[in-house]
Amino acid sequence: MKITHRSLAESWQRTAASHPLLHGVPFPFLADTEDELDAYAEHAGEGTGGLCLLLEADGTVRGRVGAYEESFTSRDPGEVLYLVAETAIRERSEDLAEAADMLERIEPEWGRRFRGGGLGAPGALAPCGRDPLDGFAWSARSWRNQDPYTCLAFFRTAPGRPVDAERLALLYGADPAQVAEGTRLKDLRAVDGGRAHDEREWESCAYGQAGGWAYLLHHETPPGAFADTAAYTALGVRESVWLTATMAKAIYTFQYVKDDHVVDDGDLGAMELRAYSYGRAPYRRGGALDFLNRAMRRAEFDHPEVTDPYALYFHALETSLGLTLPRREFTEGTVRTAYRAGG
């Protein structure tokens, strides 16, 4: 059945009247046009967490929090009601377990869906069961300061099949002799008591394989890097992930590319990795990155002791995509490294 203003409003009235936890919660503002929604959203901020809705002619409902952030798109009235209820409950409690229990008291599936973090059928991600800082999250805090590198890039041809890391480094412009010799970070630091490396670190890269991906870490991308398109194509890259930190401007971006297409919710390119609000999905619910919403919620429930939002985000990237970096190799200086050729 096509969603209408009346059907949504009446459904919410029945839902709110049936559950004490929702008594007095108004239905969000519902607009018919983008202009009407924009005008309202600029001044929204009270009620159900600033949530307002746009009902399109075909019955699609778009949810927005504030003036710019689209939070979901759905043609399922049950999903819309759940998302309105979830927003209202989260306004009452910042505790995730308490919010899940409250939603479960209203509707058992709603509690499961909240714990799952995604939209549609509740997810079933397995609990982590280990220290998250043993995986990818150990690098999150230092990465914000562009350490060990500004750009963390990962490549694979298919899940579990990394590309050739040495060939990647050479395409980046790494010194062929150092790549052939297997130069390690501690080798570069051993020269002149480390002073030489301090001066040239900005033109170095680190590379290797971990978690089913090849990784290539670097600072600035030199002119002509990856210019040999035929050689790059021959690597068979099907998926890549790019995390880039610009500390001076406080800009941190995430980009996931699969089969030559950026995976996002609307051709936005590299998205800024903002410090998300704890317990709230960082990406549009039911969108292309909903798998990360699920992984973030799993990380939040598994690791309440982790308060750094970037560490939680990196942990979610590990559990959802398999990204990781070998902490011991970086700590002990055995990670493969090279300077740019001709530097």
Side-chain angles (χ1 to χ4, degrees), residues 282-293:
Y283 299 109
R284 193 173 72 191
R285 308 293 290 278
L289 294 171
D290 205 33
F291 69 91
L292 265 176
N293 292 333

Side-chain angles (χ1 to χ4, degrees), residues 30-258:
L30 182 61
D32 291 309
T33 67
E34 285 280 0
D35 289 343
E36 186 182 3
L37 184 67
D38 290 342
Y40 178 83
E42 288 181 0
H43 305 288
E46 299 179 356
T48 53
L51 179 67
C52 46
L53 309 174
L54 170 67
L55 177 59
E56 297 183 338
D58 64 355
T60 299
V61 178
R62 296 186 181 277
R64 185 181 293 175
V65 177
Y68 308 105
E69 182 182 349
E70 184 166 298
S71 58
F72 69 86
T73 299
S74 180
R75 301 186 67 178
D76 182 337
E79 287 182 350
V80 176
L81 294 180
Y82 162 72
L83 290 163
V84 173
E86 180 193 279
T87 304
I89 292 300
R90 291 294 288 124
E91 284 296 295
R92 297 185 183 184
S93 176
E94 292 297 320
D95 184 273
L96 296 185
E98 183 179 48
D101 290 342
M102 293 168 71
L103 285 164
E104 193 167 39
R105 286 161 57 190
I106 299 170
E107 172 60 53
E109 185 175 332
W110 287 6
R112 293 192 294 271
R113 181 176 286 173
F114 181 78
R115 290 186 177 92
L119 203 55
L125 294 179
C128 173
R130 61 178 178 80
D131 183 348
L133 299 184
D134 285 341
F136 189 33
W138 71 267
S139 61
R141 186 179 297 275
S142 64
W143 171 75
R144 293 173 65 179
N145 295 322
Q146 298 179 218
D147 178 31
Y149 287 94
T150 299
C151 181
L152 316 180
F154 301 82
F155 307 83
R156 65 184 180 184
T157 62
R161 295 179 58 189
V163 303
D164 189 318
E166 289 189 0
R167 291 169 65 188
L168 268 174
L170 292 171
L171 285 174
Y172 168 76
D175 186 321
Q178 291 182 331
V179 173
E181 292 170 1
T183 300
R184 300 165 297 175
L185 177 59
K186 65 181 181 180
D187 298 326
L188 299 184
R189 288 174 172 169
V191 177
D192 194 22
R195 289 184 292 274
H197 182 60
D198 288 342
E199 294 178 358
R200 299 192 63 188
E201 183 178 6
W202 198 258
E203 58 186 81
S204 71
C205 68
Y207 60 95
Q209 295 182 350
W213 295 79
Y215 61 85
L216 176 65
L217 316 184
H218 55 86
H219 288 295
E220 293 181 341
T221 302
F226 309 111
D228 189 341
T229 55
Y232 187 80
T233 301
L235 290 173
V237 175
R238 297 288 300 277
E239 290 180 86
S240 60
V241 176
W242 303 76
L243 290 155
T244 305
T246 308
M247 182 178 62
K249 297 182 179 180
I251 296 175
Y252 303 90
T253 59
F254 160 78
Q255 186 178 66
Y256 175 36
V257 180
K258 186 173 184 179

